[in-house]
């Protein structure tokens, strides 16, 4: 059985980071080890959240794993709470990288043109360095603009997106994929670049016109699960786009807007079926 480790926070309530990565990647048939970087009462978009920082536990946990000779088919990072955590995770990549495993960095830090409350531009620059060590990065357009210094735009053409992909490739990862790309009213998806052969890939689904927290983490988790199960890069992104869209549509039709996340638990059986 394949085994990955995902390094991000536990937001106890809020359906994001580890509380979606663990169930989704496990359901896809991949053992999912976790390295919690912090325990929060909720994610940081709720006011008054509590936070217990776990930075001082990351190295001791990793050292124990090294002693036990644990290896991982993929290392997947999401929301990292501080500059220092990025530096430590970067060292972990050096420790656990092999010739055949995949490092996947979702540089979670911003959306809709703005950094999340905990972050600043210096953090974004450090995140760009971490992206340079990844095999695959999956930023949204806002994150990509903070990583590259390119302006954030809500209306754009193909050249803007291919320029953004080229700029992301210069950070150093083998594969880059931009999420939330839309060239056509009513369609949204992903456009990516394999920097080794210069090939672009893209895939779009219906755009359900509502936004829920945590869907980026769900999308990245599915990409990680599918790649670890041996799917090709374009196929992994197709599976992730379809599942995320279906889950958003289901939540929209049954619960409506608002709330705090999507009902991925209900659509999970379909994803499991698709992996068989
Ligand atoms: O879904 C991204 C995310 C993960 N973890 C925490 C967050 C956020 C986004 O706001 O605050 C703690």
């Amino acid at each position: 059985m394949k085994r990955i480790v995902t390094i991000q926070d536990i937001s106890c309530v809020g359906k994001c980071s580890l509380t979606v990565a663990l169930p989704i990647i496990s359901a896809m048939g991949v053992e999912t080890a976790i390295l919690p970087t912090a325990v929060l009462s909720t994610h940081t978009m709720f006011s008054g959240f509590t936070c217990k920082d776990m930075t001082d536990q990351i190295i001791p946990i990793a050292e124990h794993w090294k002693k036990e000779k644990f290896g991982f088919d993929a290392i997947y990072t999401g929301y990292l709470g501080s500059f220092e955590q990025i530096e430590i995770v970067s060292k972990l990549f050096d420790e656990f990288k092999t010739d055949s495993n995949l490092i996947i960095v979702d540089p979670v830090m911003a959306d809709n043109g703005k950094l999340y409350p905990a972050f600043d531009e210096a953090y974004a620059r450090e995140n760009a360095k971490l992206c340079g060590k990844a095999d695959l990065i999956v930023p949204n357009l806002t994150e990509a603009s903070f990583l590259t210094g390119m302006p954030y735009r809500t209306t754009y053409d193909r050249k803007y997106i291919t320029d953004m992909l080229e700029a992301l490739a210069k950070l150093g990862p083998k594969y880059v994929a931009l999420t939330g790309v839309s060239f056509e009213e009513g369609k949204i998806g992903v456009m990516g670049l394999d920097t080794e052969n210069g090939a672009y890939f893209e895939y779009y689904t219906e755009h359900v016109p509502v936004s829920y927290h945590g869907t980026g983490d769900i999308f990245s988790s599915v990409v990680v699960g599918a790649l670890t199960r041996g799917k090709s890069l374009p196929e992994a992104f197709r599976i992730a786009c379809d599942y995320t869209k279906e889950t958003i549509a289901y939540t929209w039709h049954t619960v409506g807007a608002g709330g705090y996340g999507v009902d991925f638990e209900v659509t999970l059986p379909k994803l499991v079926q698709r992996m068989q």
Side-chain angles (χ1 to χ4, degrees), residues 9 11 16-17 40 43-45 79 108 116 213-214 217:
D9 68 278
S11 289
C16 69
S17 42
L40 295 87
H43 56 65
T44 60
M45 306 308 271
Y79 185 103
V108 177
Y116 291 142
H213 200 86
D217 299 342

Side-chain angles (χ1 to χ4, degrees), residues 30 67 121 135 187-188 217 252 263 266:
V30 175
K67 238 185 238 159
E121 303 227 351
D135 295 297
K187 297 264 178 195
I188 195 161
D217 299 342
W252 172 236
D263 290 355
V266 179

Side-chain angles (χ1 to χ4, degrees), residues 27-136:
M28 293 175 83
V30 175
E31 181 185 342
T32 307
I34 60 168
L35 211 172
T37 52
V39 179
L40 295 87
S41 52
T42 64
H43 56 65
T44 60
M45 306 308 271
F46 286 93
S47 59
F49 63 88
T50 68
C51 179
K52 170 73 182 166
D53 187 278
M54 302 284 282
T55 306
D56 67 353
Q57 290 303 300
I58 301 176
I59 291 174
I61 289 171
E63 279 174 350
H64 181 214
W65 289 349
K66 266 281 163 200
K67 238 185 238 159
E68 295 291 334
K69 299 196 170 30
F70 292 149
F72 303 103
D73 296 293
I75 304 166
Y76 158 40
T77 67
Y79 185 103
L80 298 172
S82 65
F83 214 84
E84 191 188 355
Q85 283 190 354
I86 294 182
E87 281 181 344
I88 294 174
V89 166
S90 174
K91 287 191 191 122
L92 246 64
F93 286 175
D94 300 335
E95 285 294 319
F96 287 93
K97 179 67 189 156
T98 67
D99 291 340
S100 57
N101 70 2
L102 274 181
I103 293 180
I104 298 148
V105 171
D106 184 353
V108 177
M109 61 179 165
D111 208 359
N112 301 314
K114 279 196 277 187
L115 286 165
Y116 291 142
F119 304 132
D120 59 17
E121 303 227 351
Y123 176 90
R125 282 193 293 277
E126 197 64 16
N127 224 346
K129 282 196 231 158
L130 192 72
C131 288
K133 288 184 139 182
D135 295 297
L136 167 67

